[in-house]
Amino acid sequence: MSLPPWSKNQYLVVSRIVTEGNHQENVMCEANICYTGSDEGAVPGEKPCTQDDLKVLGPAGGMRCVETPTALKAPPTPAENCEGKFATYADIPGFHDPRIFWSGKGEPLMMVNTQSRYACFGLWIIDLRSLYAPLQKLLTSSPNHPSLGPLKSYQTLTELTRNPPNSRALIEKNWMLFFPSSGDSYVHYDLSNPKGGDHGRTFAKIVGNGFTTPNLTDPLELSCLQDTDSVETDEAKTGGTWHQASNSLSLVLCERKDSDCHPSAENTVFFAVIHRKFPNYLGLPLRYERHFMVWSAVPPFSMLGISQYPVLLANETASGWTASENWDDDPNNAAAVYENRMRKNATEPYGGKDFWAYFTYTVSIAYAWGRADKDEAEDKNIGFLDDEVILGIGVDDKGQGFAKVRAGDVVQCLRVCPGRAAEKTG
C-alpha cells in the first residue's frame, strides 16, 4: 500500500517468505519505485535507478525495499475445529495470505488467514501500528493536519466473524472489507456461485470487535457471474471457479483534474480483483484469470459490473495455451519468429517469446504514491479515474511483481450485471 506524501518512502510491502520446516513467516518493509530512462513522465519525487538498483532489479528497474525486511510478530491463535483432513492445520505456526490496506478513516490494517476460534482457519485483522512502530510516528506527523492519528479499531489481533454461526465454513479465506464512510465497515464474504451452491453473494456490516450483522445482500439480486462451461468450445476455458482475490478500493467516476468533479455517493463505486481459477490435470493451479468487479457505494451495495474478458498485462502470459498462441498478436514477436525460422530454414522451433510465468495472481490493489500533497491517510482508500492503481502480483507462488494502471482503465469494458429479479405479487 502507498504511504502518505510526507513519508520519506513511498510504499509499505508485506510478503510471506519460505522458511525451513512447517512454518509461516511474513515480513514487511518500506519500499520505493525507481525508474529508468529519461525524466519525462516520471512521477514528481520518484527516484532514478542507481547502478545498485539495476543490479538487484534488472534493467527495467522496479520496486525495492529500503532496508532489510522485518518479521511481523503476530500472536498465535487457537484452532478450535481442525478435524479429519484438516487435523494437521492446527499445528501450522504463523499466519499466511496477509493483505494490507487503508480503512475509510485512515487506519493501516492487515488481514491474515490463521487458526480460528470458531472453526479451523479464519480471517483476523489488526492495526499495523501495533506491529510496526514507525507507522504511528508517521501518522501523527501530517504537515497539514497534526493529530494523534486515527483511533485504532483493531489494536490487537481480532477475528472477523460470519453471522449466523451455522453459515461459517471450516476454512474461511479471501474475505475483503469495504468502507462506505469513514465510520462504517463491511466485510464481503462470498461471490455468487454461477453453478448454484450453499452461498450466494454475501456481505455484512461490522458492528464492533469483529462481530457482524447477518447477510445484507438484496435477496432479489441476480448473480452477475455466469456459468459458460456448457456453451464453451475451447476446453482450456472450462472448469474454472470464481474467487475473491484482493482488497477493495473506492472510485469516484470522474477525473481528479476536473474542477467540476466532486465526490458523492451517487458518483462513487467500489472495485476489487476477483479470479477465475483453472486447475491442471492434477488439480493444482494452472491459471488465475484476473477480472475486476464493481459494486455500488450505497445500500444495498448492488453488483454493477464485471470485466467482460480476463485482463492480461502487456507482457503477461496465460497457461493453458502455447507460447506462440499467447504472443500471436504481437507484431514485434511475429518479426522475431519469422527471422528465426528463415535463419534456420525451418518452421520449428517456434523461436519467439516464451512464457513470462507459469501462473500469476493478484492479491492486492492500492492507489499509487505521488498524488496531491494534501493526500491524507483517510484519503488513501479513495481515488479518481485519472489516478494510478498499483496491482500487487504473485508469480508462481515464489516471486512477486507489480504493475501500474489507470483506475479508469480497470473499469472499462465491463459486462453489466442483470440487477434484481422481479418481485412476486399476489
Side-chain angles (χ1 to χ4, degrees):
M1 67 184 190
S2 61
L3 294 170
W6 63 87
S7 171
K8 66 179 181 180
N9 296 310
Q10 301 167 354
Y11 293 93
L12 200 62
V13 178
V14 64
S15 179
R16 187 179 70 178
I17 61 173
V18 177
T19 62
E20 295 183 5
N22 191 19
H23 178 66
Q24 308 278 341
E25 184 166 275
N26 294 270
V27 296
M28 188 166 65
C29 73
E30 294 183 29
N32 293 318
I33 293 175
C34 72
Y35 66 89
T36 59
S38 70
D39 294 342
E40 185 178 353
V43 175
E46 280 195 348
K47 305 171 178 64
C49 294
T50 65
Q51 287 301 312
D52 190 52
D53 290 331
L54 297 176
K55 182 178 179 181
V56 173
L57 298 170
M63 183 184 293
R64 184 183 180 189
C65 289
V66 175
E67 296 178 347
T68 302
T70 58
L72 292 172
K73 302 296 185 182
T77 57
E80 294 295 335
N81 192 14
C82 288
E83 300 174 347
K85 65 179 181 180
F86 300 122
T88 58
Y89 284 36
D91 301 321
I92 300 175
F95 59 88
H96 60 279
D97 290 348
R99 287 166 170 77
I100 59 176
F101 51 91
W102 294 98
S103 77
K105 60 182 181 181
E107 303 159 288
L109 301 178
M110 179 173 70
M111 186 186 298
V112 300
N113 200 210
T114 189
Q115 285 89 347
S116 169
R117 294 179 299 165
Y118 308 106
C120 183
F121 262 59
L123 280 299
W124 299 67
I125 193 167
I126 190 170
D127 193 304
L128 278 169
R129 289 171 291 179
S130 298
L131 302 178
Y132 186 67
L135 270 178
Q136 176 63 32
K137 183 177 180 181
L138 176 66
L139 295 185
T140 59
S141 59
S142 168
N144 301 310
H145 299 287
S147 70
L148 297 177
L151 293 176
K152 292 182 180 180
S153 302
Y154 307 100
Q155 184 159 341
T156 59
L157 204 59
T158 303
E159 185 165 12
L160 296 171
T161 62
R162 190 199 285 265
N163 188 21
N166 63 9
S167 65
R168 298 170 186 160
L170 285 178
I171 304 292
E172 297 281 18
K173 60 186 301 184
N174 296 333
W175 296 354
M176 61 183 170
L177 269 59
F178 63 98
F179 308 95
S181 68
S182 62
D184 292 331
S185 303
Y186 290 74
V187 56
H188 203 288
Y189 302 111
D190 298 296
L191 301 169
S192 55
N193 187 337
K195 297 184 180 181
D198 296 335
H199 291 298
R201 181 188 180 215
T202 54
F203 68 87
K205 185 175 182 179
I206 300 175
V207 296
N209 201 33
F211 295 106
T212 61
T213 67
N215 180 27
L216 297 176
T217 307
D218 181 350
L220 296 178
E221 181 176 276
L222 298 172
S223 173
C224 194
L225 303 180
Q226 296 179 338
D227 177 17
T228 58
D229 282 4
S230 60
V231 296
E232 182 56 64
T233 57
D234 187 341
E235 188 176 341
K237 296 180 182 179
T238 62
T241 54
W242 293 95
H243 303 269
Q244 294 182 169
S246 74
N247 56 295
S248 71
L249 292 175
S250 182
L251 176 64
V252 183
L253 298 177
C254 50
E255 295 194 346
R256 182 183 294 271
K257 65 184 179 183
D258 183 353
S259 59
D260 294 326
C261 176
H262 304 290
S264 68
E266 288 68 32
N267 67 0
T268 301
V269 297
F270 293 104
F271 72 96
V273 175
I274 60 175
H275 286 148
R276 195 175 185 197
K277 179 182 177 182
F278 290 83
N280 62 16
Y281 67 96
L282 295 175
L284 300 173
L286 170 70
R287 178 175 78 254
Y288 292 87
E289 290 185 348
R290 180 188 302 112
H291 295 255
F292 291 89
M293 78 171 196
V294 179
W295 67 102
S296 171
V298 296
F301 306 112
S302 302
M303 287 282 289
L304 300 176
I306 183 174
S307 301
Q308 189 168 357
Y309 305 104
V311 178
L312 274 178
L313 302 172
N315 63 335
E316 200 174 15
T317 50
S319 295
W321 294 275
T322 65
S324 60
E325 289 171 327
N326 269 274
W327 297 112
D328 63 357
D329 60 346
D330 184 334
N332 293 328
N333 185 63
V337 171
Y338 177 78
E339 182 179 344
N340 182 66
R341 289 175 176 169
M342 290 293 290
R343 187 170 60 248
K344 295 186 176 182
N345 192 26
T347 57
E348 295 296 341
Y350 156 59
K353 294 181 181 179
D354 205 345
F355 286 99
W356 188 79
Y358 180 70
F359 66 83
T360 56
Y361 48 94
T362 307
V363 295
S364 67
I365 54 177
Y367 284 110
W369 182 88
R371 302 195 302 187
D373 290 340
K374 294 183 179 180
D375 198 19
E376 299 293 322
E378 60 265 30
D379 303 320
K380 301 299 289 182
N381 197 52
I382 186 167
F384 296 79
L385 293 174
D386 50 347
D387 286 339
E388 288 188 313
V389 176
I390 290 280
L391 309 182
I393 298 172
V395 181
D396 294 344
D397 263 348
K398 62 183 179 181
Q400 54 213 345
F402 74 93
K404 272 187 183 181
V405 295
R406 285 181 75 256
D409 292 341
V410 305
V411 295
Q412 286 187 358
C413 201
L414 299 179
R415 175 174 54 78
V416 177
C417 294
R420 304 177 80 237
E423 295 191 47
K424 293 182 179 179
T425 59

